[in-house]
C-alpha cells in the first residue's frame, strides 16, 4: 500500500529549491512512512513534486550525516552526485526518522490530535477529536489508537515527553529514542488486565520484553507445541512449574493428583523418592559425621566409613539429574550400609547395645499389638474359634520361656 502525506506535513509546494531540504527534514521528524502498522494512517493526496535540483542540494546539506557505504559496491560520491527522484528522497528521510524514533512518531500524531471522548476544552484543544473519530479517519480500531495514547501518557508522567495539554494538532517536538518506546507501549489488550500486569512484571524480572511473554500467554497451544517438540523448551517449562508450585498450593495439589492417577508417573516418582532417600542417608553421614545403625541407634561414624561416604557423595553430585543418578545412589547406599553393619560387628560394646536396642524395639511392637486386642468383643460376640486359643497359649509359652531365659541370664551375670 502506498503511503502519502498531506502538504501540511511536508515541505510547502511552492518552497524554493534551497528551502526544500530543511523543510523536508523538519517534516520528516514527525511524518515517516508507517513501518509497523501500515493500516494505521489514511492515505492522502500525493505531495507535489519538488524541483529537480532540490534532492541533490538536500544531500549536499546532509553530507555530514550521510552513511559511509552500504556494501553494494556503489560509492557515496556517486550517489551524492546523482539527482534522485524526490519521492525516493522523501521516503529515505521518513525511514531515517522512524529508525531513530520508532513508535514515538505515530504516538505524537495521536497525542497532538486526540482527546478521548472528544470533549471540548480551552484553546486549540477544541480542534482535537475523539479516539473513535481518529481511528475512523485512520482506518484502524479505537483500541489501537488508545494503546498509543496510553503509551504517551505513561511517558509524559515520567517526564519523557510533554503532556497532552501542551500539544496542538500539527505541533512538532523532539522525540525520544526508538529503543525507549517498547518500555511504554504494548500491542496487546491483555497487558492492562491484572493477569497481563502480572505477566509483564514477571517478564521484566526475567529481563525480557513483556510483549514476548504476553504473546506466549495468549497462545497456549503454541506453547504446548513447543514443549512437546523441543527438549529445551520442555526443560524451561519444568523449571518454571517447579518455581511456581513453591508458592501455589493449588497447583501442587493438581500436579500431585495428576501424577497419582498416571501409573508410569507414579512409579517414576516412587523410584526417585527412593533414590533421594538413599542419597540423603549418605549425605547425612558426610555432613553430620554420624551413622544410624539397623536397630536405630545414632553413633559417631568411623573415619574410614565417612571417607567412603564422601567419595560416593561426590560422584552423586556430579551425576545430579542424570539418568545414572538413581543407579549410583543405590550402589552408594548399599556400600555405605554394608560398612555400617561391619562397623557395628567390629565394635563389641556397640554390638551388644545394638542387640539390646533391637530386642527392646521388638518387645515394644509386640506389646503394642497385644494391647490393641479388644477382649470385650471376644466375650460379647460369637467370634471365638479354637485356633485363637491355641495361638494365645503358644504365645504364653514363648513369653514364659523368654522370661526364664532373662532371669537365668540375670542370675548368671
Amino acid at each position: 500500500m502506498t503511503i502519502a502525506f498531506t502538504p501540511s506535513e511536508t515541505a510547502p509546494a511552492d518552497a524554493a529549491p534551497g528551502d526544500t531540504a530543511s523543510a523536508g527534514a523538519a517534516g520528516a521528524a514527525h511524518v515517516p512512512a508507517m513501518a509497523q502498522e501500515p493500516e494505521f494512517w489514511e492515505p492522502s493526496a500525493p505531495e507535489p513534486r519538488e524541483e529537480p535540483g532540490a534532492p541533490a542540494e538536500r544531500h549536499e546539506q546532509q553530507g555530514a550525516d550521510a552513511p559511509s557505504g552500504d556494501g553494494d559496491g556503489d560509492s557515496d560520491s556517486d550517489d551524492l552526485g546523482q539527482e534522485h527522484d524526490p519521492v525516493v528522497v522523501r521516503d529515505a528521510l521518513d525511514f531515517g526518522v522512524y529508525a531513530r524514533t520508532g513508535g514515538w512518531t505515530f504516538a505524537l500524531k495521536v497525542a497532538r490530535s486526540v482527546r478521548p471522548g472528544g470533549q471540548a476544552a480551552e484553546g486549540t484543544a477544541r480542534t482535537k477529536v475523539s479516539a473513535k473519530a481518529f481511528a475512523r479517519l485512520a482506518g484502524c480500531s479505537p483500541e489501537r489508537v488508545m494503546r498509543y495514547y496510553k503509551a504517551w501518557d505513561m511517558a509524559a508522567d515520567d517526564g519523557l515527553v510533554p503532556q497532552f495539554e501542551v500539544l496542538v494538532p500539527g505541533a512538532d517536538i523532539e522525540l525520544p529514542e526508538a529503543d525507549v518506546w517498547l518500555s511504554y507501549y504494548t500491542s496487546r489488550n491483555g497487558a492492562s488486565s491484572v493477569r497481563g500486569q502480572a505477566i509483564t512484571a514477571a517478564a521484566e524480572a526475567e529481563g525480557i520484553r513483556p510483549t514476548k511473554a504476553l504473546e506466549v500467554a495468549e497462545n497456549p497451544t503454541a506453547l504446548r507445541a513447543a514443549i512437546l517438540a523441543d527438549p529445551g523448551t520442555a526443560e524451561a517449562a519444568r523449571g518454571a512449574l517447579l518455581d511456581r508450585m513453591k508458592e501455589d498450593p493449588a497447583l501442587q495439589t493438581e500436579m500431585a493428583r495428576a501424577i497419582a492417577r498416571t501409573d508410569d508417573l507414579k512409579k517414576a516418582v516412587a523410584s526417585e523418592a527412593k533414590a533421594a532417600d538413599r542419597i540423603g542417608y549418605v549425605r547425612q553421614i558426610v555432613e553430620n559425621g554420624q551413622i544410624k545403625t539397623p536397630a536405630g541407634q545414632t553413633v559417631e561414624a568411623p573415619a574410614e566409613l565417612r571417607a567412603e561416604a564422601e567419595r560416593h557423595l561426590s560422584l552423586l553430585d556430579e551425576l545430579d539429574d542424570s539418568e545414572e543418578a538413581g543407579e549410583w545412589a543405590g550402589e552408594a547406599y548399599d556400600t555405605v550400609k554394608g560398612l555400617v553393619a561391619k562397623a557395628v560387628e567390629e565394635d563389641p560394646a556397640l554390638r551388644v547395645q545394638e542387640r539390646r536396642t533391637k530386642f527392646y524395639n521388638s518387645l515394644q511392637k509386640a506389646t503394642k499389638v497385644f494391647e490393641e486386642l479388644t477382649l470385650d468383643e471376644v466375650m460379647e460376640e460369637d467370634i471365638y474359634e479354637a485356633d485363637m486359643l491355641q495361638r494365645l497359649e503358644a504365645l504364653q509359652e514363648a513369653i514364659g520361656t523368654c522370661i526364664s531365659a532373662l532371669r537365668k541370664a540375670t542370675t548368671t551375670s
Side-chain angles (χ1 to χ4, degrees), residues 126-393:
R126 291 196 184 101
T127 63
K128 294 187 177 183
V129 297
S130 67
K132 185 176 181 180
F134 190 85
R136 187 166 54 249
L137 293 171
C140 68
S141 67
E143 289 77 17
R144 175 172 293 181
V145 173
M146 286 306 300
R147 287 198 290 272
Y148 278 80
Y149 188 94
K150 291 176 181 177
W152 188 278
D153 191 28
M154 288 188 292
D157 289 341
D158 290 345
L160 195 63
V161 294
Q163 295 288 344
F164 297 103
E165 290 75 9
V166 302
L167 295 174
V168 296
D172 291 329
I173 65 167
E174 184 176 351
L175 297 172
E177 294 293 328
D179 293 343
V180 188
W181 172 248
L182 294 175
S183 301
Y184 294 93
Y185 176 78
T186 175
S187 60
R188 305 185 180 277
N189 291 325
S192 60
S193 65
V194 175
R195 174 174 175 265
Q197 291 173 358
I199 294 172
T200 298
E204 291 174 348
E206 294 290 337
I208 63 174
R209 291 191 333 193
T211 50
K212 291 290 185 182
L214 288 166
E215 181 179 358
V216 172
E218 291 177 7
N219 197 344
T221 303
L223 175 61
R224 171 182 169 82
I227 292 174
L228 291 175
D230 178 41
T233 305
E235 176 62 21
R238 180 193 69 83
L241 281 173
L242 289 176
D243 290 342
R244 181 177 177 84
M245 281 193 290
K246 295 175 182 178
E247 302 177 357
D248 191 339
L251 181 58
Q252 292 178 14
T253 302
E254 288 296 326
M255 291 295 293
R257 185 180 294 119
I259 291 172
R261 292 176 179 177
T262 307
D263 290 340
D264 291 342
L265 291 178
K266 186 164 58 175
K267 292 177 181 178
V269 169
S271 176
E272 290 300 321
K274 184 178 181 180
D277 289 342
R278 290 178 167 181
I279 295 174
Y281 179 82
V282 177
R283 189 179 300 279
Q284 182 181 9
I285 295 175
V286 174
E287 295 179 352
N288 299 335
Q290 295 179 328
I291 60 174
K292 191 172 184 179
T293 67
Q297 296 186 85
T298 300
V299 297
E300 292 297 320
E304 178 187 357
L305 193 157
R306 189 170 182 178
E308 186 67 12
E310 288 179 352
R311 186 179 70 82
H312 281 280
L313 183 62
S314 176
L315 179 59
L316 289 171
D317 287 340
E318 291 180 3
L319 296 173
D320 188 28
D321 291 336
S322 71
E323 296 180 357
E324 300 178 355
E327 180 181 349
W328 283 101
E331 180 178 332
Y333 176 78
D334 292 339
T335 300
V336 173
K337 193 173 182 181
L339 291 174
V340 170
K342 180 181 177 182
V344 171
E345 287 298 320
E346 291 179 348
D347 186 334
L350 182 58
R351 183 172 67 249
V352 171
Q353 183 62 30
E354 180 75 357
R355 292 176 179 176
R356 182 183 294 113
T357 302
K358 186 177 181 180
F359 181 84
Y360 266 114
N361 290 342
S362 299
L363 183 59
Q364 288 176 348
K365 291 178 182 178
T367 302
K368 183 177 181 180
V369 171
F370 189 79
E371 289 174 346
E372 290 176 351
L373 293 176
T374 307
L375 299 180
D376 292 340
E377 294 181 358
V378 177
M379 303 301 294
E380 294 176 0
E381 305 209 10
D382 188 15
I383 64 171
Y384 166 78
E385 291 183 0
D387 183 60
M388 293 181 182
L389 183 57
Q390 292 175 2
R391 286 178 177 272
L392 285 171
E393 290 174 344

